[in-house]
Amino acid sequence: MQIDLRTVSIKPLRNTFDHLVRRFGDKPASRYQEGSYDIQADTNLQYRPSWDPEHELHDAGRTAIVMSDWYALKDPRQFYYGAYTLARARQQEAAEASFTFVESRALLDQMDAATRSRALAVLMPLRHAAWGANMNNTSMCADGYGTLITQPCMYHAMDNLGVAQYLTRLGLLLGDAATLEAGREAWLNDAAWQPLRRLVEKTLVTRDWFELFVAQNFVLDGLLYPLIYGQFVDKHLNAHGGAGVSMLTAFMSEWHDETRRWIDAVLKTAAAESAANQALLSDWTRQWRGRAAEALSPIAQQALGASAAEVLATVEQSFNDRAAKLGLTL
Amino acid sequence: MDMSVKKKLGLKEKYALMTRNLGWEPSYEKREDVYPLLDYEGIKIHDWDTWEDPFRLTMDSYWKYQAEKERKLYAIIDAFNQNNGHLNVTDARYINAMKVFLSAVPALEYNAHRGFARLGRHMGGVGPQVACQMQAIDEMRHCQTQIHSISNYNRFYNGIHDWKHMNDRLWYLSVPKSFFEDACTCGPFEFIIAIGFSFEYVLTNLVFVPFVSGAAYNGDMGTMTFGFSAQSDEARHMTLGLEVIKFMLEQDPANLPIVQKWIDKWTWRGVRLLTIVAMMMDYMLPKRVMSWKEAWEIYFEENGMSLFKDLARYGIKVPDCVEQIKKEKDHLSHQAWTTFYAAAPMTNFHTWIPSDDELDWLSAKYPDTFDKYYRPRFEFFREQAEKGERFVNPNLPQLCQVCQIPMLFTEPDDPTQIAYRQSEHDGEKYHFCSDHCQHIFDNEPEKYVEAWLPVHQILQGNCFAEGDDPSAPDFDPIASVMKYWHLENGRDNGDFAGSEDEKNFAAWRGMTTSNT
Ligand SMILES: [Fe+2]
Ligand SMILES: [Fe+2]
């Protein structure tokens, strides 16, 4: 029975759930807060995981980083599922429009054959690197501690898959299935790509999930995205008739800028927590930066030729500045 | 470039390029180091490439469809909240079903989210990995949309103000908590049989119908909407569950006995968990959708059985426990509700004696058992209440070591006799509600001795409020345990009749339907 209710204002008994009142005071909570804080069980966990009997099901001990409160690692974007999908749906719409536009104006034809094949040679193997990033972020979601950090890792993983799929579409637009196959072949066998593949495989066996966060999201993608999408696509290709490619990878550049805010916030908070965290994060960053710079060097060479070393140095410099701003000492 | 000269790709081919083509065999690291969880359960997979994608959804479409669903859902939740939609429910007793829901279910969805994330990383092929990842992120959605839909009830009604805290502590909530923690601590293959197959595929309708139809029948637009909105996700999850089981069975004949053992175990675990749903359907919805017995007959005995028939060609048999469940369907909800009624001081929702109409409905739906065994109990409860001696069970119940439900179930063939089973392990005795729970324990005693049984923990003194001193002369153990649970005595618990909920609802509804 539907009763027609007069609109009245009723004073609620309480503003929100107690666990949020304890954190934020007695006031209405946001949907991000309701859907994220303290959601993971942290008490009276039952049974030892058969896949990791040394730890409890949810266990802060799966990383060497120590936080007194794991819910300090707030996502500045305040992404809960609804906010996340709405944000990506808007970007997806823009990307769709770009694909249509580029296709209908035959924008990709403005590139000469050499530029086109260079674009494909650089971008296609990166489909696989993005899949590696997806596995790693999925892993961080599984192994991490506290919903505030595990939740955005899952979103990030799905984004990594989205990036791999946008690259796939780009490849199919610019070439065909054989184009993707050539990229795959390069990823598996070309000398220029082996250092990167070796590095990605090394991340896949890195078990400390916070180290993995540093290695994948901060260091590797922190160098790769500015180098590939910032320098190679948006500057170099753009200057050689590749504006179409630049439009098709706009998602990647935008996404990198947006997710960077989250990654930085996490690292800044974790480093500020203790000298031990700061030292560990600095150390991880230093180690992975060395490996990543080495792995990216032959790719930069392939992408940028003579200017590779100089561009890579610029990218590294701004990465170092970024790290310093987060309180890391490299 | 002239697009027409390109070879046209089929959907399947294109989706393969978007997913499985992204993966590669590692050569710098060993495959078993990259995928370390694939061998230890004994499941043999020879060729991950033969995996058939149960659905084909690229991320751009996923974002688009899901965002559309989210937009609609939150618009309805917002409108429902703004218009005080909670006053439109049939009667305020209904809200207690939502309290049980919020106390138990979002935490399950959350663990499903984390469990599927683990599989999304650790399955041995991109196809199943991507499918599991999508389920992982969907389950986060379910967890959050449930919290968001029900959060408004918390602002106006008691019992769920600290749902997450209670979920990890309150006695009856250890039943769902242990169920999912059990599944999540299993290996990846058992997890997906437990959750993806037994729970999502075999039992999901038995959860969906009562809650979602129950919400619709009882005027709860918010809950109804999130339920319907989740349904298209569930459809994907069900096809994944089915594909996984077929895949495992097709890969190697040696997988059959392992899979069968898991199906048997998790069907029983799932059905035991549904006890609370049975009770909700028959007792807590002011306007009934159908009886538990009817739901069981339609969704399990008919639909579920045809699924098992389908799997018979792989050698899968109907789990033995089904025979017992058939016998229990006439008793389950009544035994559960009388137990909760008698434990009213210790629960975070209200209980009541069914009205005369409702008792008659129960008699009609359960002609063989209700009048004979259960109506007299309610009549007794009513007499006691009228005398001012409301019946309460003064004892802490013994819990089953496996399902963690109090010993409330009767012998399958004798509804006057509570069933007790017992096993010994390492010189300790363990108790069970049934042959099937005992059997599960006997197969993996090392796992189930680690159970966190709330009653044992209380008796061992592990559930007193921080700062309370059990040796103090005025120490009140029950009060201290309630404090540990964050249960507000006199507001959250006890009878619906006379509760703050009842009074407030009546007063507020009065305001909205009168003109003054
Ligand atoms: Fe779900
Ligand atoms: Fe049991």
Side-chain angles (χ1 to χ4, degrees):
Chain A
M1 178 180 49
Q2 194 77 10
I3 302 170
D4 243 352
L5 297 180
R6 205 157 60 86
T7 312
V8 291
S9 99
I10 301 168
K11 194 176 152 27
L13 304 184
R14 53 185 76 76
N15 282 312
T16 184
F17 300 115
D18 295 352
H19 65 280
L20 300 174
V21 173
R22 287 192 289 274
R23 283 188 179 277
F24 306 110
D26 191 2
K27 54 186 178 201
S30 70
R31 286 198 162 132
Y32 173 65
Q33 291 170 336
E34 282 186 344
S36 315
Y37 282 88
D38 307 303
I39 298 297
Q40 172 201 285
D42 58 4
T43 310
N44 303 331
L45 291 155
Q46 315 209 16
Y47 322 110
R48 290 272 145 180
S50 61
W51 34 269
D52 179 15
E54 306 300 306
H55 293 103
E56 293 200 303
L57 173 58
H58 303 301
D59 197 318
R62 288 199 180 93
T63 173
I65 293 293
V66 178
M67 296 293 293
S68 62
D69 176 13
W70 282 93
Y71 287 88
L73 301 177
K74 187 178 155 182
D75 176 359
R77 304 164 300 172
Q78 306 204 30
F79 273 168
Y80 60 98
Y81 182 92
Y84 163 74
T85 44
L86 286 176
R88 292 293 174 266
R90 275 192 294 272
Q91 286 166 287
Q92 174 279 133
E93 229 169 89
E96 216 47 54
S98 297
F99 270 93
T100 312
F101 185 82
V102 167
E103 223 180 325
S104 66
R105 311 283 155 98
L107 271 191
L108 296 173
D109 293 350
Q110 293 175 9
M111 278 183 292
D112 58 33
T115 312
R116 172 192 288 259
S117 76
R118 181 182 294 193
L120 289 173
V122 173
L123 293 176
M124 287 306 100
L126 292 176
R127 293 166 69 230
H128 308 287
W131 171 248
N134 160 284
M135 295 226 312
N136 284 332
N137 276 287
T138 307
S139 184
M140 294 170 220
C141 173
D143 287 343
Y145 193 79
T147 310
L148 224 52
I149 180 70
T150 55
Q151 168 177 228
C153 288
M154 196 66 232
Y155 302 149
H156 209 67
M158 302 321 277
D159 292 341
N160 295 141
L161 178 60
V163 166
Q165 294 180 340
Y166 278 131
L167 285 172
T168 305
R169 277 182 70 179
L170 189 155
L172 290 175
L173 191 60
L174 214 49
D176 52 23
T179 314
L180 305 182
E181 208 35 56
R184 189 183 165 78
E185 176 56 27
W187 176 255
L188 291 177
N189 295 314
D190 265 20
W193 288 92
Q194 295 321 293
L196 183 60
R197 181 161 73 87
R198 180 184 290 121
L199 174 73
V200 170
E201 290 188 14
K202 194 175 171 64
T203 61
L204 293 175
V205 297
T206 298
R207 288 287 162 254
D208 183 311
W209 64 270
F210 212 112
E211 179 178 0
L212 198 50
F213 180 88
V214 170
Q216 177 70 58
N217 293 344
F218 182 49
V219 179
L220 179 54
D221 284 348
L223 294 170
L224 190 149
Y225 277 70
L227 175 70
I228 300 296
Y229 300 107
Q231 298 291 330
F232 172 62
V233 177
D234 291 347
K235 292 218 170 98
H236 180 86
L237 286 185
N238 228 336
H240 293 81
V245 178
S246 186
M247 282 184 75
L248 299 184
T249 59
F251 176 87
M252 283 73 137
S253 311
E254 243 176 63
W255 175 80
H256 181 69
D257 289 344
E258 177 221 275
T259 53
R260 201 186 131 140
R261 287 170 49 217
W262 162 60
I263 294 159
D264 287 0
V266 168
L267 291 174
K268 197 171 178 178
T269 308
E273 172 90 358
S274 68
N277 281 359
Q278 195 273 353
L280 196 53
L281 292 170
S282 300
D283 196 39
W284 282 338
T285 304
R286 223 177 294 119
Q287 285 179 29
W288 286 100
R289 182 192 55 179
R291 294 174 191 140
E294 212 182 291
L296 289 174
S297 159
I299 297 164
Q301 196 66 42
Q302 192 172 11
L304 301 159
S307 61
E310 192 194 328
V311 171
L312 197 53
T314 321
V315 167
E316 265 188 81
Q317 189 49 52
S318 52
F319 175 82
N320 292 346
D321 295 345
R322 179 182 168 196
K325 276 202 196 104
L326 301 177
L328 305 182
T329 28
L330 301 187
Chain B
M1 171 185 244
D2 182 10
M3 296 294 292
S4 61
V5 303
K6 281 188 202 171
K7 186 175 161 267
K8 265 265 183 270
L9 293 169
L11 261 180
K12 187 177 170 179
E13 240 177 324
K14 198 164 177 190
Y15 188 70
L17 293 174
M18 294 284 189
T19 51
R20 59 181 72 195
N21 185 261
L22 302 171
W24 72 96
E25 274 306 311
S27 64
Y28 297 104
E29 302 291 342
K30 291 205 235 34
R31 180 173 164 88
E32 60 267 33
D33 293 336
V34 173
Y35 298 100
L37 307 187
L38 293 176
D39 290 333
Y40 77 94
E41 294 174 274
I43 291 291
K44 293 190 178 65
I45 305 294
H46 302 288
D47 186 1
W48 285 92
D49 284 342
T50 58
W51 169 265
E52 288 284 341
D53 294 309
F55 50 83
R56 299 189 191 111
L57 191 56
T58 50
M59 281 316 297
D60 51 358
S61 325
Y62 181 87
W63 290 326
K64 186 175 159 188
Y65 296 140
Q66 297 298 100
E68 197 45 51
K69 280 156 58 179
E70 288 288 280
R71 247 190 297 266
K72 284 186 189 146
L73 172 60
Y74 281 98
I76 290 173
I77 295 174
D78 286 343
F80 185 77
N81 294 349
Q82 269 158 25
N83 300 327
N84 287 319
H86 59 98
L87 297 176
N88 231 336
V89 302
T90 37
D91 83 51
R93 290 180 305 165
Y94 166 78
I95 294 159
N96 291 286
M98 287 304 105
K99 295 180 193 178
V100 173
F101 191 89
L102 183 68
S103 301
V105 183
L108 304 184
E109 303 278 7
Y110 183 77
N111 268 332
H113 154 70
R114 294 288 290 271
F116 274 102
R118 183 163 310 286
L119 270 65
R121 167 62 182 81
H122 284 288
M123 281 280 118
V126 181
Q129 281 180 287
V130 167
C132 288
Q133 290 171 10
M134 281 191 183
Q135 182 154 357
I137 186 174
D138 284 343
E139 301 295 5
M140 191 75 225
R141 167 175 201 246
H142 299 171
C143 171
Q144 292 178 332
T145 53
Q146 287 165 8
I147 295 168
H148 292 151
S149 303
I150 299 174
S151 134
N152 196 53
Y153 284 115
N154 170 56
R155 299 177 66 228
F156 295 95
Y157 303 95
N158 295 319
I160 46 175
H161 49 88
D162 217 351
W163 68 271
K164 190 61 201 48
H165 179 92
M166 290 184 190
N167 185 269
D168 287 326
R169 293 166 182 82
L170 193 65
W171 63 280
Y172 78 93
L173 294 172
S174 84
V175 175
K177 177 179 162 79
S178 64
F179 175 92
F180 248 92
E181 290 180 0
D182 184 351
C184 286
T185 49
C186 291
F189 292 108
E190 183 174 353
F191 173 85
I192 201 160
I193 294 292
I195 305 306
F197 180 74
S198 296
F199 197 70
E200 294 271 5
Y201 206 97
V202 185
L203 302 171
T204 205
N205 280 325
L206 284 162
V207 180
F208 183 81
V209 170
F211 278 110
V212 181
S213 309
Y217 270 51
N218 287 280
D220 182 355
M221 292 299 291
T223 306
M224 186 191 86
T225 311
F226 89 62
F228 279 120
S229 188
Q231 211 183 12
S232 53
D233 305 339
E234 297 300 350
R236 261 188 286 119
H237 302 170
M238 288 170 73
T239 58
L240 172 59
L242 192 59
E243 174 54 33
V244 159
I245 198 161
K246 288 185 174 169
F247 180 66
M248 283 161 72
L249 294 169
E250 280 166 2
Q251 283 291 314
D252 197 297
N255 293 340
L256 174 64
I258 305 176
V259 169
Q260 179 77 55
K261 195 178 77 187
W262 289 339
I263 291 180
D264 293 353
K265 169 179 169 184
W266 287 99
T267 302
W268 180 252
R269 294 282 275 124
V271 168
R272 271 292 180 253
L273 180 63
L274 293 187
T275 302
I276 202 156
V277 179
M279 159 182 119
M280 213 195 71
M281 289 188 77
D282 285 344
Y283 287 89
M284 299 185 78
L285 298 178
K287 194 167 175 202
R288 293 349 185 217
V289 178
M290 58 171 76
S291 68
W292 162 256
K293 183 183 174 182
E294 288 165 329
W296 175 260
E297 286 167 352
I298 296 171
Y299 296 111
F300 193 90
E301 292 179 8
E302 286 173 32
N303 300 359
M305 283 307 127
S306 67
L307 169 67
F308 279 107
K309 252 177 234 146
D310 209 37
L311 292 172
R313 65 194 163 105
Y314 297 103
I316 288 291
K317 292 199 205 63
V318 175
D320 287 344
C321 63
V322 167
E323 279 314 302
Q324 176 160 347
I325 303 163
K326 262 188 197 153
K327 292 176 183 168
E328 287 185 346
K329 71 187 173 192
D330 271 312
H331 301 277
L332 201 64
S333 63
H334 319 303
Q335 295 178 351
W337 185 248
T338 48
T339 302
F340 273 99
Y341 178 85
M346 312 291 265
T347 58
N348 66 332
F349 58 92
H350 297 304
T351 49
W352 54 87
I353 299 165
S355 67
D356 289 334
D357 276 2
E358 289 166 341
L359 291 174
D360 292 344
W361 182 85
L362 290 161
S363 300
K365 293 293 180 186
Y366 295 94
D368 300 335
T369 55
F370 190 74
D371 286 348
K372 196 166 168 195
Y373 302 108
Y374 303 106
R375 190 186 271 267
R377 266 191 232 181
F378 286 113
E379 281 164 355
F380 169 73
F381 289 160
R382 190 183 283 178
E383 270 166 38
Q384 294 294 106
E386 279 164 1
K387 277 194 286 183
E389 292 168 26
R390 199 258 194 223
F391 179 81
V392 169
N393 183 350
N395 304 312
L396 291 177
Q398 185 161 49
L399 305 180
C400 172
Q401 185 74 24
V402 171
C403 69
Q404 311 203 358
I405 298 176
M407 301 292 195
L408 59 88
F409 304 103
T410 49
E411 289 291 350
D413 296 308
D414 181 0
T416 63
Q417 203 63 42
I418 298 281
Y420 288 99
R421 300 290 181 273
Q422 188 177 301
S423 286
E424 231 181 82
H425 178 72
D426 269 347
E428 292 278 337
K429 287 191 172 65
Y430 296 91
H431 305 276
F432 314 99
C433 71
S434 56
D435 292 340
H436 304 290
C437 278
Q438 180 178 30
H439 188 67
I440 291 170
F441 178 91
D442 290 344
N443 273 329
E444 296 168 86
E446 303 80 13
K447 177 162 196 172
Y448 292 98
V449 297
E450 288 173 2
W452 190 91
L453 299 177
V455 171
H456 288 206
Q457 298 295 327
I458 290 170
L459 294 174
Q460 286 168 23
N462 296 331
C463 299
F464 297 132
E466 220 175 306
D468 281 7
D469 174 11
S471 64
D474 60 344
F475 179 69
D476 176 348
I478 296 293
S480 187
V481 170
M482 286 188 186
K483 226 160 95 190
Y484 169 78
W485 289 337
H486 293 182
L487 189 80
E488 259 192 86
N489 192 19
R491 289 183 93 197
D492 294 339
N493 53 358
D495 281 328
F496 174 74
S499 67
E500 196 177 84
D501 276 9
E502 184 192 40
K503 287 179 205 148
N504 282 340
F505 185 83
W508 292 331
R509 184 122 98 177
M511 281 165 65
T512 59
T513 50
S514 72
N515 291 314
T516 45

